[in-house]
Amino acid sequence: MESTAHLRHLRMSPRKLSLVAALIRGKPVEAALNILKFTPRAAARPVEKLIKSAVANATDLSKGQVDVDTLYVKTISVDQAATQRRFMPRAMGRATPIQKKSAHVHVVLAEAKK
């Protein structure tokens, strides 16, 4: 049984998010949540909420028949979303571009084989 959750249009750079995603890829859910709880990066909080949402989807989808202790992070992927383009005024009448990037995060949880 697999459960998915998606986080779309997160206003954070995909590069920063993929560092956190690499920490929990392939780990059991309990271990992944512990890692995210003690990771000092700002990207850990939205990813932690996403994992909890996927666990809730798994229990709701299977009407409580899934064992949460056997779930693990099968896949987690980070994709680039739309970029907001802004300009910052600089000296001598010039302007430099600012790119405010955003990301999509997709997670799939699966039950470990016994």
Side-chain angles (χ1 to χ4, degrees):
M1 211 237 27
E2 291 185 350
S3 169
T4 63
H6 308 286
L7 173 59
R8 302 191 65 221
H9 303 291
L10 177 64
R11 254 293 288 126
M12 193 172 290
S13 169
R15 191 170 179 176
K16 295 176 183 178
L17 278 162
S18 44
L19 289 173
V20 173
L23 292 173
I24 62 168
R25 192 172 286 123
K27 300 264 193 314
V29 169
E30 188 71 31
L33 289 174
N34 278 334
I35 290 169
L36 291 172
K37 185 175 182 182
F38 294 107
T39 301
R41 294 186 171 272
R45 302 301 154 250
V47 174
E48 182 180 3
K49 283 180 72 172
L50 183 66
I51 296 290
K52 288 180 180 178
S53 174
V55 169
N57 289 344
T59 56
D60 189 47
L61 188 66
S62 68
K63 308 270 192 287
Q65 295 175 353
V66 69
D67 187 14
V68 178
D69 297 330
T70 62
L71 289 176
Y72 74 100
V73 181
K74 184 177 179 182
T75 60
I76 182 166
S77 64
V78 180
D79 302 322
Q80 185 162 350
T83 301
Q84 296 178 8
R85 290 175 175 82
R86 303 288 185 261
F87 290 98
M88 178 182 281
R90 302 307 292 255
M92 294 191 281
R94 293 186 176 94
T96 57
I98 295 176
Q99 294 185 345
K100 298 185 174 194
K101 299 185 185 241
S102 57
H104 302 309
V105 185
H106 309 283
V107 67
V108 177
L109 302 182
E111 281 188 291
K113 303 250 192 294
K114 293 181 182 179

